[in-house]
Structures are given as C-alpha cells and as structure tokens.
Amino acid sequence: MEPYNQDLLQDAFYHLDNLKFNLTKLKLAYNRDRAIVNHIDNLLKDCELIQLIVQSYDSYNFRLLCNMINNSFADPNSHGVLVFIIKKRFGENYDRGKLNHIKFPA
C-alpha cells in the first residue's frame, strides 16, 4: 500500500479512537439514562466495525475486489456493479433466494 494511503488510514484510526474515548466519557457521565447508554454502545460498536474495515483494507483480497469494481466503472455504459460473494461452504449449491441484498443510496 502506498505510504500516503497508509498515513490516511492511521489518521482515521486515530480519530476513531478519540471518538470512542469521548463516547466512553459520555457513557460514564450519563450512566443512569439507559436510552443514552444503549445508543452510545451502538455508536461504539459502529466505531469498532469501521476500525476493522480500515484494518482489513490493506488485505490483498479486499484490494483486489476494490480494483475489480473500480475497473468495471471505467465502462461509460455501466450503471452499477452487482457483486456476489458466496460463502465458501455453499460453493456451487448456493440458493440465489437466500442472498442478502445491500443497496447503497444513489
């Protein structure tokens, strides 16, 4: 990975850690309000998920998938990309009706 991109990923990781620290302080300050604590817990989980995604960005398979998707957008007639990632254990016998559909807002 390019050093500039690595620096950006480290910066993002640093700011997410700061956000998690501030959210934890808020959680301690409002520990009697169950609704706020639950909401902060959800935000902390989201921050951890983002950190895991940022960490995995450097993996070879993720970069390969991103490059394949980006290359498919080079076609000016392309309206989008449909990506199927099948669980390895189902292999050739996967059921298209049991695939999760994730639609990004346009």
Side-chain angles (χ1 to χ4, degrees):
M1 180 166 253
E2 297 174 14
Y4 177 72
N5 288 344
Q6 193 64 34
D7 290 343
L8 289 176
L9 293 177
Q10 287 175 356
D11 288 347
F13 217 83
Y14 170 78
H15 289 292
L16 283 168
D17 277 336
N18 284 343
L19 180 62
K20 285 170 49 179
F21 179 73
N22 291 336
L23 287 170
T24 303
K25 288 191 330 189
L26 274 175
K27 183 178 172 181
L28 291 173
Y30 293 97
N31 65 352
R32 301 242 185 244
D33 190 341
R34 203 67 231 154
I36 291 176
V37 169
N38 288 339
H39 189 67
I40 290 173
D41 283 339
N42 289 335
L43 290 172
L44 287 169
K45 286 179 189 175
D46 290 343
C47 287
E48 289 172 4
L49 177 62
I50 292 169
Q51 284 182 321
L52 286 173
I53 291 170
V54 166
Q55 258 180 334
S56 69
Y57 181 74
D58 197 24
S59 75
Y60 173 77
N61 289 332
F62 185 78
R63 283 187 285 144
L64 180 64
L65 177 64
C66 288
N67 288 339
M68 289 168 53
I69 291 170
N70 287 334
N71 289 338
S72 70
F73 283 125
D75 179 13
N77 295 322
S78 174
H79 289 226
V81 176
L82 188 60
V83 178
F84 291 108
I85 302 174
I86 309 302
K87 287 183 182 177
K88 187 175 182 178
R89 66 180 174 165
F90 293 112
E92 296 294 322
N93 299 323
Y94 72 93
D95 181 4
R96 285 185 176 264
K98 293 183 180 178
L99 295 177
N100 288 339
H101 179 73
I102 301 172
K103 186 174 182 180
F104 291 99

